[in-house]
Amino acid sequence: MSLRQSMAGLHTWGGLLPSWLLFVIFFAGSIACFDKELERWMRPALHEPSSHGMTVDQVRDAMLAKAPDAHAIWIRPPSEREPFYWAGYEPADESAFVRFALDPVTGEPMPETVGGLFFFTLHYDLNAGMVGMYIVAIAAMLMLVALISGIIIHRRIFKDFFTLRPDANGQRAWLDAHNLFGVVGLPFHLLIAYTGLAIFVVFYMPAGIQRAYDGDAEEFFHDVMGAYSREDVKQPAPPPMSLDRLVADAQRRWGGKETGWISVHHPADAAAVVDIRRYDRSGIVDFQWTFSYDAATGELLHEQKPYSPGYQSYAWLTNLHMAQFGGQIVRALYLLLGLMGCAMLVAGLQVWLRKREARGGYGIGLVRALNGAVVGGLPVASLGLLYGNRLLPAGIAERASAETWVFVGVWLLVAGWAVLRRNSGKVARDVLVVVAVLALGLPLLNALLTPQGSLLATLARGDWDMAGIDLVLLASGVLCGLFAWRRSQPQVAKAPRVRRRLAEENA
Amino acid sequence: MSKAKTSSRRDVTARVLAAILGGYALAYAATAFLSVYLPLVRSDRVVFASLSCFAVYTLAILYAFAARSALQAWLVLIGATVLMALAAYLPGDFGVRP
């Protein structure tokens, strides 16, 4: 068995098994490029630009009123993409962080929503915590393997790049599409798989810290990041210094840029420490230049040095993945390349199916069912989530989890439909029709329920971040409608042609 | 389909296991090895060694399927793992050098 043959087998099976998982990860990750814009869309209070009259001190007092014995409180002042205060606290027992998005007008927490963060979490841990993170990592490893074995199989990479035969038989046309999307996206896919794994490398590969630091992760992070911390002394704190004054001082020291997260550790203790971080998107890496102050006296305790070369490289890799540099152009590019990755996966699944439909084989029904359930179900469920966001009443308890249940419920519905009708050949058309109807209806619903966020209103005030979401929804609705219409046309049977056999076909 | 293509279920299972388990063992040993021997300060050694582990793992998986036989794949992966682990873990004071 030659190298290319063995790699073809690895590519076929190593690629097929994680395909549906990777589709979810790619799709959610692509949407998560615009998580902050979606967050605004999902919070009607933020649709109209408003001046936020709150000071950092007021936000701190509000957090301390909620949790007087908090281990730490965190405050994120408004920024260009997030025109509102994020705030929250770590409870005294250091359990899960409790976070609030504050209404810029009233200063009260806004109605709960999963927000754009939902897709971000779905992307990196499938909303399943640590277990999900490891599942995603396995999928990413298999993606790396599929990419490298794909390169080895694909010796005619440049010739095939210019080949697209949409009128050829099904398998050939899908293979062309798979190659086209795979080759165009290849540098991006390699980058995104590798850097995605790199982000959580300390969870996946502890060998380095275990060997060189005797497993002491804290010491390691102290070495690479140079963060400052001070133990509490179990004595009540004197009245604290104004945070606004400390922020002004920090901004003066680093030369007046945006402020990132502000934290106060053990605020009720005499040894309370205020950390103020700079927020800087001028380069790929932001080392979050941090000043640490004594909370009571305002004395500067520590200034963070730039990252060590190793951590600087790590941050560069992970920030390439996160696309927080270069503005909306870079994010739009990542979104398109991510969707291209989805297209490559779908085309690859179709190659697998068509080949086995032609010569018979096992597993066809299962692959068809999963295709409909995942590839069809996820986009419909995502649209369902946005409907839920607008239609669920603002005041209900556990509103965020209600939204999640809408997402899960819609997905299960589509999945059930896809499994039952897997051999009808009509699932794809049905899903396309549903996506078209839902996507076209959503801007309408948005205009009816939240007039200040309607497409006409956002276009009129030149709010392209908000208008963009409605425009993309309309465009995808039209596109899916066209595809659905095309699929429902009667297919013309084509005479089989004699072709050269490709190595890929032997896989 | 050619004859050479049909490989026994046992062979495939052995290769899959070599790829997943042997590959991770090799990546683990390589990370430990590099975090001891790279010519950098300690924290940077750990970062760069850890970042390279996914490349090692990927190549090991590819090798497990490219090797002439499953037995050879196992022997090479185990051999390389043992060599690097010995070099990384035997000299006690190297790991904590600055």
Side-chain angles (χ1 to χ4, degrees):
Chain A
M1 193 158 35
S2 75
L3 174 68
R4 283 196 21 254
Q5 274 176 324
S6 66
M7 288 299 118
L10 182 57
H11 187 80
T12 305
W13 292 101
L16 177 78
L17 295 175
S19 282
W20 297 281
L21 207 51
L22 283 171
F23 181 83
V24 176
I25 297 166
F26 264 68
F27 188 82
S30 307
I31 296 180
C33 291
F34 289 96
D35 56 346
K36 297 188 168 74
E37 285 70 23
L38 263 179
E39 185 87 36
R40 265 189 74 202
W41 193 94
M42 292 169 88
R43 294 182 186 278
L46 300 173
H47 287 180
E48 275 178 311
S50 56
S51 56
H52 26 80
M54 298 176 79
T55 63
V56 184
D57 282 319
Q58 286 170 338
V59 178
R60 170 176 64 180
D61 293 345
M63 285 306 113
L64 285 179
K66 284 182 204 298
D69 57 346
H71 172 71
I73 56 170
W74 290 77
I75 299 164
R76 174 76 194 259
S79 60
E80 195 190 337
R81 286 178 74 206
E82 293 181 294
F84 59 98
Y85 272 102
W86 275 116
Y89 57 86
E90 284 172 62
D93 56 1
E94 298 189 37
S95 55
F97 185 70
V98 188
R99 70 185 178 100
F100 306 89
L102 301 181
D103 190 310
V105 179
T106 63
E108 291 297 308
M110 283 183 262
E112 261 191 76
T113 174
V114 285
L117 215 56
F118 179 82
F119 293 101
F120 181 59
T121 323
L122 185 65
H123 170 65
Y124 78 81
D125 73 0
L126 310 168
N127 284 310
M130 276 307 259
V131 180
M133 256 175 57
Y134 279 95
I135 294 174
V136 170
I138 292 168
M141 267 314 297
L142 284 165
M143 180 179 157
L144 265 185
V145 169
L147 287 173
I148 308 282
S149 56
I151 296 170
I152 297 173
I153 305 167
H154 208 349
R155 55 178 172 175
R156 306 187 312 145
I157 202 156
F158 287 106
K159 190 164 175 236
D160 283 354
F161 180 74
F162 294 103
T163 314
L164 192 60
R165 288 155 287 190
D167 292 330
N169 73 2
Q171 184 191 332
R172 163 52 28 80
W174 282 113
L175 184 59
D176 286 347
H178 182 66
N179 292 341
L180 177 70
F181 292 126
V183 171
V184 174
L186 183 62
F188 178 73
H189 295 146
L190 276 172
L191 166 98
I192 219 73
Y194 205 93
T195 54
L197 282 163
I199 291 172
F200 291 122
V201 61
V202 285
F203 293 111
Y204 304 147
M205 180 48 74
I209 293 176
Q210 272 173 7
R211 178 67 189 103
Y213 278 87
D214 276 332
D216 189 347
E218 214 166 302
E219 195 191 345
F220 167 70
F221 284 115
H222 180 82
D223 274 7
V224 287
M225 293 201 292
Y228 175 82
S229 68
R230 189 164 75 170
E231 292 295 313
D232 51 348
V233 292
K234 309 274 185 237
Q235 279 166 16
M241 183 82 156
S242 158
L243 280 184
D244 290 291
R245 272 183 62 191
L246 292 180
V247 169
D249 181 70
Q251 284 188 337
R252 187 176 50 74
R253 286 173 193 274
W254 67 53
K257 287 243 176 126
E258 273 187 291
T259 310
W261 281 100
I262 300 164
S263 63
V264 186
H265 276 82
H266 33 80
D269 193 88
V273 177
V274 177
D275 288 328
I276 299 172
R277 292 161 185 79
R278 188 179 65 164
Y279 180 70
D280 175 19
R281 289 294 167 222
S282 59
I284 293 178
V285 179
D286 173 13
F287 82 94
Q288 305 191 49
W289 197 351
T290 307
F291 291 97
S292 304
Y293 297 93
D294 185 288
T297 63
E299 180 200 349
L300 182 63
L301 299 169
H302 183 258
E303 175 189 346
Q304 186 205 300
K305 300 280 172 292
Y307 293 148
S308 69
Y311 202 74
Q312 180 81 6
S313 314
Y314 166 82
W316 187 78
L317 285 174
T318 55
N319 288 4
L320 277 179
H321 189 97
M322 309 260 203
Q324 298 299 306
F325 59 93
Q328 302 295 53
I329 301 276
V330 168
R331 273 185 282 277
L333 199 63
Y334 270 55
L335 170 74
L336 284 179
L337 287 165
L339 292 178
M340 207 185 274
C342 293
M344 172 190 70
L345 287 165
V346 172
L349 284 164
Q350 292 295 338
V351 173
W352 192 97
L353 259 181
R354 296 303 169 99
K355 187 159 51 185
R356 278 153 191 82
E357 277 167 353
R359 67 154 197 252
Y362 56 92
I364 292 180
L366 180 69
V367 170
R368 274 194 192 137
L370 278 166
N371 267 348
V374 178
V375 178
L378 178 59
V380 178
S382 304
L383 287 165
L385 176 79
L386 297 182
Y387 273 87
N389 170 266
R390 278 293 185 279
L391 292 174
L392 289 168
I396 62 168
E398 303 284 329
R399 188 163 183 275
S401 25
E403 284 176 354
T404 310
W405 281 113
V406 172
F407 175 84
V408 173
V410 172
W411 196 342
L412 285 178
L413 228 67
V414 180
W417 177 258
V419 170
L420 288 177
R421 308 244 305 163
R422 62 184 176 277
N423 292 328
S424 68
K426 296 212 162 62
V427 174
R429 192 205 58 192
D430 296 350
V431 167
L432 284 167
V433 170
V434 173
V435 170
V437 170
L438 288 179
L440 290 173
L442 200 49
L444 205 64
L445 184 79
N446 185 27
L448 283 175
L449 294 181
T450 50
Q452 77 279 17
S454 74
L455 187 55
L456 292 176
T458 49
L459 281 178
R461 62 171 182 260
D463 187 349
W464 287 101
D465 291 350
M466 283 284 296
I469 293 176
D470 279 0
L471 289 174
V472 167
L473 283 169
L474 289 176
S476 15
V478 170
L479 206 63
C480 288
L482 278 176
F483 282 144
W485 177 76
R486 204 186 145 202
R487 275 192 84 94
S488 57
Q489 300 303 96
Q491 297 286 312
V492 187
K494 295 201 177 61
R497 289 180 303 175
V498 182
R499 302 182 319 270
R500 223 153 28 118
R501 283 163 68 89
L502 290 175
E504 287 92 325
E505 292 184 305
N506 291 324
Chain B
M1 296 264 93
S2 59
K3 265 273 161 56
K5 191 73 190 65
T6 54
S7 33
S8 76
R9 197 162 285 208
R10 246 182 62 193
D11 180 72
V12 172
T13 313
R15 282 176 194 267
V16 169
L17 287 177
I20 296 172
L21 303 177
Y24 190 80
L26 183 71
Y28 193 96
T31 307
F33 176 82
L34 290 175
S35 64
V36 169
Y37 289 103
L38 279 179
L40 301 164
V41 297
R42 183 161 61 141
S43 57
D44 288 350
R45 293 202 302 273
V46 172
V47 175
F48 288 116
S50 304
L51 287 179
S52 60
C53 78
F54 306 113
V56 177
Y57 199 178
T58 306
L59 291 178
I61 293 174
L62 293 180
Y63 172 71
F65 288 91
R68 193 161 297 144
S69 68
L71 182 69
Q72 193 184 38
W74 269 109
L75 288 179
V76 169
L77 289 177
I78 289 178
T81 304
V82 167
L83 275 181
M84 277 194 285
L86 283 178
Y89 285 94
L90 278 185
D93 49 347
F94 254 127
V96 291
R97 74 188 165 94

